């Protein structure tokens, strides 16, 4: 099994914009998760990690890597939907994953 994040699971620019405009927002502590139904068989994923929240690029990259790993393990739960995770406040890796799980159980 490949551990890569395949291109078919990444949101393209036009689809990313559609999720931001039309997606259902689940807001939590430090992040929001936007979900929108898609026409492809699997789930697709996008991330927004602003510089103002994680100033160093190494920190932003680490957060993205952890969130992509979460998505890779949970993409079956999100099948048929596009998902964008947007960070809204500084947070550590563990609390991000816990908060995403909490939001998705309710939404």
């Amino acid at each position: 099994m490949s551990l890569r994040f395949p291109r078919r699971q990444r949101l393209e620019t036009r689809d990313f914009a559609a999720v931001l405009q039309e997606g259902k927002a689940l807001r939590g502590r430090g992040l929001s998760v936007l979900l929108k139904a898609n026409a492809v068989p699997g789930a697709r994923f996008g991330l927004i990690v602003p510089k103002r929240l994680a100033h160093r690029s190494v920190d932003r990259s680490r957060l993205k890597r952890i969130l992509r790993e979460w998505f890779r393990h949970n993409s079956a739960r999100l099948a048929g939907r596009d998902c964008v995770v947007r960070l809204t406040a500084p947070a550590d890796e563990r609390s991000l994953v816990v908060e995403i799980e909490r939001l998705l159980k309710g939404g």
Side-chain angles (χ1 to χ4, degrees):
M1 171 165 74
S2 174
L3 299 178
R4 301 199 63 199
F5 187 61
R7 196 165 280 289
R8 70 180 180 280
Q9 289 186 327
R10 299 176 193 177
L11 279 173
E12 296 175 6
T13 304
R14 68 177 183 272
D15 300 321
F16 205 97
V19 174
L20 292 176
Q21 288 178 351
E22 304 164 16
K24 175 187 172 189
L26 306 171
R27 290 180 177 83
R29 285 172 264 143
L31 61 92
S32 63
V33 177
L34 295 110
L35 299 167
K36 181 181 180 296
N38 66 25
V40 298
R44 295 184 299 181
F45 190 61
L47 292 166
I48 301 173
V49 182
K51 278 186 182 180
R52 66 182 172 82
L53 299 179
H55 300 289
R56 299 181 330 157
S57 63
V58 66
D59 296 332
R60 286 191 305 278
S61 295
R62 180 166 174 75
L63 291 171
K64 289 177 186 179
R65 198 167 43 251
I66 287 166
L67 290 169
R68 282 189 201 110
E69 180 70 9
W70 170 85
F71 176 77
R72 191 174 68 79
H73 287 287
N74 293 280
S75 60
R77 281 177 34 187
L78 298 168
R81 293 190 276 180
D82 291 336
C83 176
V84 172
V85 174
R86 174 190 283 174
L87 267 58
T88 58
D92 64 292
E93 300 96 13
R94 179 175 285 254
S95 65
L96 285 177
V97 172
V98 169
E99 188 66 13
I100 291 173
E101 290 291 336
R102 186 186 71 78
L103 289 173
L104 290 179
K105 281 186 178 142

